[in-house]
Amino acid sequence: MGTQATISQLAEKVADFSAILSQTRAAVGAVRTTTEATHRVLNSFVERYGRDQIVANAQAELSRLTTEWVARFAERRRIRALARGLAHALTEDAVTRGLVDTNTIEACSQEQLLLEPTFWLAPAVVAVAAGYSSDIERAARARGHALTLDQAKATLFFALTCSRQKRQSEAARWMDRYLSGLDPSDLGQEFSVVLDAVAGAELGIEALTYARQAMTRWDREGNARPFILSPSDSAFAHLTRWQPWMLDQGAESSGRFDALRKLCGTQWAEAEQGWQTATAVKGTLDYLRAEYSDSPPTTNGNHGTDIALNHLISQLDPDESRMHEQMERLRAIIEHGGDTEAAAADFKAPKEPETIDFQTLLERAVFEPGTVHLGYPARLLALHSAMPTLRPAVTAMKEKSESLLPEHLTLTVEGWSCQVPTTPTTPDSRQHAVNDLRKYLERRTVAVIGSVAPMWPRVLTCYALAAACAFLAVFLNGAAGSLAKVLTVLLLAYAVWGVAHVPFRRHQLREDGTRRRAEGTAELKKALGQHTHLFQQWRAGLTSATQWNNWSPAAGEQLNSQPEE
């Protein structure tokens, strides 16, 4: 009894201890939950505090940059607005009607020059204003100062403003000066806009002539190679340049000549290459005819000049662009509440001005017009500039295709071969080749069937061995006798099969020969049809090359009337 009581007391103590442990575990869990919640709140506070600090710093920096922007560049916005107003056609009309005093215009422009003497547009505006009051000396001095600050932009500005004011001869001289100062290997985005305006004759026929001469010269200089000594070398160089673009206009052979490819073997590689070059010649001519039709779209007004002038006036200088980017980046950080990663993902930094070399621009304008955003007149002008090198390339491609044109193709089917001339063939000659193949396959089938006959030595040997085994089976008992009987049966069965399988095998070969004859003749017919189509397209491509000499792009009157350089 004492032992049982002790055990009962120990069990009660263990139960009490388990209850205490459960309470302790619950208390520890509550403490952990509280600690984790406190930790999350603390982390959230620290993170929020850090973002608030980032926002505060960004706001302070943005305020500083805004103050600096106003101090350094606020006047440039007024100068740009004044430049747009002075270049507008209505301003000239207002001056003519006496609505605006020329002295007021000069005072406004000169004030802006005093406030921003280092900005190229300020003296340019003074030059335009001096033109309204016919102050030739002040206009010349202002133009010289503007050219000193930024020659390229000032030259283009004067060309466009002269065009706006209908002074086309002066605009042409400025445009000639602008084009002469360009680096054809590093053309900016504004060149495409200017080219649209010039090609549309918005700056006059004389400016268009200068542009066409400059573009022809740039392309010629870009193609100049010191090692080219002969016309053939020059044509090869032009072909190397234009061939990838022309091949894109050619037809694809994939899946079109599978039967011919299979039957003509190693000859196919050269045949395919020659066919592709010929179709590329025709495809290029067809593409250009469709793209540069006889009814070019017409343009009204001076929209190209307006776009080019607004683009030029609105373009930020490098120091403005850098500060503007910094301010936009700070605004993105503030907008996202200090989340620098989200701000960086959302902020789109202005791309560096893209540049392009003239030859690439020319090639894309002709064959990929969607990538250069040029209007029809500009693309037409580009094509005229490309024609002096495109024509020799076409001639060289034609000669390359002619050199690959074989006299005949050898078609091989099931060991039978025939030579098919590349000149046009008659249906009778093609049918004759099919009949020859059919006869060849029939003869081969008959020969194969005739070669199937019983192997009499083996059959007779099996019969002899079967007779011997049967004789032994009569005298042998037990396992030996059973084995002799089995061998007798097997040898007789093999001998019978050696004779009986011959008709069955001949039937199989006859059916197989019929199938192969049908497949072979069908394949040959298909290959002959593809052969006809291939060389028809090949010769059509070669013929189209001669049409290049009689075709020119749909040039407007202003283009046809101007001599090439």
Side-chain angles (χ1 to χ4, degrees), residues 393-412:
V394 171
T395 302
M397 182 169 278
K398 174 194 173 184
E399 293 174 353
K400 179 180 179 181
S401 181
E402 287 178 337
S403 67
L404 296 172
L405 182 64
E407 294 183 359
H408 60 266
L409 287 182
T410 301
L411 305 183
T412 303

Side-chain angles (χ1 to χ4, degrees), residues 17-222:
F17 186 70
S18 298
I20 294 171
L21 284 178
S22 299
Q23 293 175 358
T24 304
R25 187 181 296 109
V28 171
V31 171
R32 179 181 299 168
T33 302
T34 304
T35 303
E36 290 177 351
T38 304
H39 183 67
R40 286 194 298 270
V41 172
L42 181 60
N43 286 341
S44 177
F45 172 78
V46 172
E47 183 180 356
R48 185 170 61 253
Y49 178 78
R51 290 187 178 182
D52 291 341
Q53 288 297 109
I54 293 174
V55 171
N57 293 335
Q59 289 175 336
E61 180 66 13
L62 180 60
S63 178
R64 185 189 69 80
L65 289 177
T66 302
T67 303
E68 184 179 353
W69 175 276
V70 173
R72 292 180 59 185
F73 305 126
E75 295 303 326
R76 295 190 180 185
R77 178 180 297 179
R78 299 188 183 93
I79 294 173
R80 290 187 172 101
L82 181 59
R84 293 189 186 95
L86 290 179
H88 203 281
L90 293 179
T91 301
E92 184 177 3
D93 181 64
V95 172
T96 303
R97 295 166 57 189
L99 299 178
V100 179
D101 187 6
T102 56
N103 293 328
T104 303
I105 294 177
E106 288 200 9
C108 290
S109 63
Q110 291 172 17
E111 179 185 1
Q112 297 303 324
L113 177 59
L114 293 175
L115 294 174
E116 189 59 86
T118 60
F119 185 37
W120 70 270
L121 191 56
V125 166
V126 172
V128 175
Y132 281 111
S133 59
S134 301
D135 191 340
I136 300 176
E137 293 183 0
R138 179 179 288 116
R141 289 194 297 271
R143 284 195 295 267
H145 184 40
L147 292 171
T148 301
L149 295 176
D150 195 322
Q151 182 174 357
K153 291 182 179 179
T155 304
L156 180 57
F157 177 79
F158 294 135
L160 296 174
T161 51
C162 289
S163 174
R164 273 277 190 89
Q165 296 170 356
K166 308 301 181 183
R167 304 200 307 269
Q168 304 293 19
S169 296
E170 188 175 354
R173 290 194 295 273
W174 282 111
M175 182 53 62
D176 185 35
R177 186 171 178 177
Y178 168 74
L179 294 171
S180 299
L182 289 179
D183 181 4
S185 64
D186 188 24
L187 298 176
Q189 292 178 328
E190 71 279 357
F191 179 76
S192 297
V193 182
V194 174
L195 185 60
D196 266 333
V198 174
E202 295 181 18
L203 278 75
I205 301 301
E206 191 175 354
L208 175 58
T209 303
Y210 289 147
R212 187 176 183 182
Q213 291 174 350
M215 292 172 67
T216 303
R217 183 178 67 254
W218 290 344
D219 193 48
R220 183 175 62 247
E221 292 173 352

Side-chain angles (χ1 to χ4, degrees), residues 140-359:
R141 289 194 297 271
R143 284 195 295 267
H145 184 40
L147 292 171
T148 301
L149 295 176
D150 195 322
Q151 182 174 357
K153 291 182 179 179
T155 304
L156 180 57
F157 177 79
F158 294 135
L160 296 174
T161 51
C162 289
S163 174
R164 273 277 190 89
Q165 296 170 356
K166 308 301 181 183
R167 304 200 307 269
Q168 304 293 19
S169 296
E170 188 175 354
R173 290 194 295 273
W174 282 111
M175 182 53 62
D176 185 35
R177 186 171 178 177
Y178 168 74
L179 294 171
S180 299
L182 289 179
D183 181 4
S185 64
D186 188 24
L187 298 176
Q189 292 178 328
E190 71 279 357
F191 179 76
S192 297
V193 182
V194 174
L195 185 60
D196 266 333
V198 174
E202 295 181 18
L203 278 75
I205 301 301
E206 191 175 354
L208 175 58
T209 303
Y210 289 147
R212 187 176 183 182
Q213 291 174 350
M215 292 172 67
T216 303
R217 183 178 67 254
W218 290 344
D219 193 48
R220 183 175 62 247
E221 292 173 352
N223 287 311
R225 300 291 187 274
F227 56 83
I228 294 178
L229 302 176
S230 65
S232 60
D233 293 335
S234 178
F236 178 77
H238 297 325
L239 176 61
T240 302
R241 173 190 177 187
W242 290 108
Q243 181 170 272
W245 298 98
M246 296 173 66
L247 288 176
D248 288 342
Q249 309 302 323
E252 291 289 336
S253 64
S254 178
R256 300 181 60 182
F257 304 103
D258 289 342
L260 184 61
R261 178 189 293 108
K262 180 181 178 181
L263 298 189
C264 68
T266 57
Q267 283 186 289
W268 174 251
E270 286 191 357
E272 182 182 32
Q273 183 181 5
W275 171 81
Q276 285 180 339
T277 54
T279 57
V281 172
K282 186 177 185 301
T284 302
L285 181 59
D286 292 342
Y287 163 78
L288 295 179
R289 279 176 168 172
E291 192 72 18
Y292 302 92
S293 61
D294 295 332
S295 301
T298 57
T299 57
N300 297 321
N302 293 332
H303 299 301
T305 303
D306 295 341
I307 294 173
L309 189 56
N310 289 330
H311 180 276
L312 178 64
I313 293 174
S314 303
Q315 190 175 5
L316 298 179
D317 278 8
D319 51 354
E320 292 179 277
S321 181
R322 286 191 296 269
M323 186 175 293
H324 179 74
E325 180 182 347
Q326 293 176 1
M327 294 168 66
E328 290 299 318
R329 196 182 299 275
L330 292 172
R331 288 191 181 97
I333 293 175
I334 295 171
E335 182 180 352
H336 286 82
D339 189 345
T340 54
E341 294 182 359
D346 186 59
F347 176 72
K348 296 181 179 180
K351 296 181 179 180
E352 290 293 328
E354 295 182 359
T355 60
I356 189 173
D357 65 277
F358 175 72
Q359 287 198 319

